[in-house]
Amino acid sequence: MTDVSGIIVAMVTPLADDQKISYSRTDKLLDKLLTYNINGIFILGTNGEAYSLTEDEKFSFAKHVIEYVNHRTQIFVGTGLNSTSETIAFSQRIATLNPDALSVVTPYFVPPTQEELINHFEKLANSVNVPIILYNMPGKTGVNIDPETVAELSKNPNIVGVKDSSGNIENMRGYLKLRANKEFGVLSGSDSKILALLEAGGDGAIAATANLLTQNDVDIYKYYQDDNLKMAEKCQSRIEPLRKILHTRTTPSALKATVTASGINVGPAKDPVMMPNSDELEDIDRMISYYRTNNII
């Protein structure tokens, strides 16, 4: 049974210098992440550049990651596309790899109504035999999955949770209040809200900052579970220098640059996204030095 809780890493997709997926770099990043007490790895999301990869590239990458990890942690795979039919077809294809769950972003560009979202996700959930995690990212898609919509979708036994990247804690509280049962997981996709969501009764986070700050992010969850709120707050605050860097560039170029600066080369971002310039790289190096000096990485 899929465990929708704890800290799940929203992993970047390592590329070679020619912009093709690098499986050797992927393995090195996975080796690092698997040394920590994470509760899963989410591939092919926003920071995984799913929007810029072909379906064949995504399938091959998912196959490699699932086989390499070999049940050492859970693997969630992003399969959301822009129409219901293509999302179902691609999700069914990924389902043959037996991931632990599919994370499915809402259709975008022409924002669906809430009724259309329910229709979209119900048809998908009833067409695949892998659990579905809803992915709410209104800043990119133009549509919010409202709490009342999650209340309805959470009744479907194959829809097991939601990742909320809205940054709106009231929206997340709405999910918690209206979800059909406590087994339906509510995860923060906004790393600044990990502790706030836990305090509201949430279940964890799918965190991009965990590519670099893996132990720190795990510790937010651990300390909260241990009722050590002071340390949980300290770990939450430690994310801010990295978040400040991440907001200086188009996603995920700054994140990839920080991971590479820490010693795990994950390559460039996909064009047209450009990597940080020399001044920005100096800021990244200073941040990495700060984290190392303070034993955070």
Side-chain angles (χ1 to χ4, degrees):
M1 182 175 177
T2 304
D3 180 6
V4 189
S5 68
I7 299 299
I8 295 140
V9 183
M11 194 179 89
V12 299
T13 301
L15 302 180
D17 295 344
D18 63 1
Q19 299 229 323
K20 294 179 180 177
I21 293 173
S22 171
Y23 293 105
S24 61
R25 290 176 175 178
T26 296
D27 292 349
K28 289 177 182 176
L29 179 57
L30 288 169
D31 287 343
K32 179 242 182 186
L33 297 176
L34 289 167
T35 63
Y36 299 94
N37 192 29
I38 57 175
N39 200 35
I41 294 172
F42 167 39
I43 59 171
L44 299 175
T46 305
N47 285 281
E49 299 174 279
Y51 46 83
S52 62
L53 299 169
T54 68
E55 288 187 26
D56 285 344
E57 285 176 318
K58 289 190 279 190
F59 181 83
S60 297
F61 184 70
K63 183 175 188 293
H64 178 87
V65 170
I66 290 168
E67 290 177 351
Y68 189 84
V69 171
N70 192 25
H71 305 291
R72 286 178 285 174
T73 193
Q74 299 182 111
I75 302 296
F76 300 167
V77 183
T79 58
L81 296 168
N82 215 29
S83 75
T84 303
S85 59
E86 65 180 348
T87 299
I88 288 173
F90 186 55
S91 297
Q92 289 174 335
R93 187 180 178 193
I94 293 292
T96 65
L97 302 174
N98 297 312
D100 294 279
L102 305 177
S103 176
V104 185
V105 73
T106 62
Y108 45 90
F109 194 75
V110 178
T113 66
Q114 298 301 307
E115 180 183 17
E116 288 165 341
L117 287 177
I118 291 171
N119 179 62
H120 173 77
F121 283 115
E122 289 280 11
K123 284 183 175 179
L124 171 62
N126 296 333
S127 300
V128 295
N129 58 1
V130 176
I132 302 296
I133 296 172
L134 310 173
Y135 183 2
N136 186 45
M137 196 172 202
K140 302 291 186 186
T141 65
V143 60
N144 186 67
I145 307 177
D146 290 345
E148 294 77 11
T149 299
V150 167
E152 182 64 29
L153 291 171
S154 67
K155 297 174 186 176
N156 189 306
N158 204 37
I159 300 177
V160 298
V162 60
K163 173 190 178 183
D164 188 339
S165 295
S166 70
N168 183 348
I169 192 65
E170 292 307 316
N171 197 64
M172 300 179 205
R173 287 195 178 106
Y175 293 165
L176 292 167
K177 181 180 179 181
L178 297 180
R179 60 183 172 178
N181 57 75
K182 292 291 182 65
E183 285 69 45
F184 180 88
V186 178
L187 303 172
S188 176
S190 300
D191 292 11
S192 64
K193 298 295 189 292
I194 298 173
L195 182 56
L197 179 61
L198 291 172
E199 291 179 305
D203 301 288
I206 296 180
T209 58
N211 283 276
L212 178 72
L213 304 178
T214 322
Q215 186 61 55
N216 181 78
D217 290 7
V218 167
D219 282 345
I220 297 173
Y221 183 78
K222 174 186 177 295
Y223 284 126
Y224 181 78
Q225 295 298 113
D226 292 342
D227 292 321
N228 189 340
L229 191 57
K230 182 178 179 180
M231 283 302 299
E233 289 172 343
K234 185 175 182 179
C235 291
Q236 178 68 66
S237 68
R238 286 170 171 171
I239 292 176
E240 288 311 303
L242 174 56
R243 290 188 68 248
K244 185 177 180 181
I245 289 285
L246 298 186
H247 291 157
T248 64
R249 299 291 303 188
T250 305
T251 303
S253 63
L255 178 58
K256 282 191 155 182
T258 62
V259 176
T260 295
S262 75
I264 304 289
N265 187 353
V266 295
K270 270 274 191 183
D271 287 339
V273 178
M274 298 173 67
M275 296 300 283
N277 61 37
S278 57
D279 289 341
E280 291 164 335
L281 289 173
E282 287 180 8
D283 289 339
I284 287 170
D285 286 340
R286 280 192 289 270
M287 180 196 66
I288 294 293
S289 178
Y290 161 78
Y291 280 137
R292 285 196 171 126
T293 300
N294 289 278
N295 296 314
I296 298 169
I297 60 172

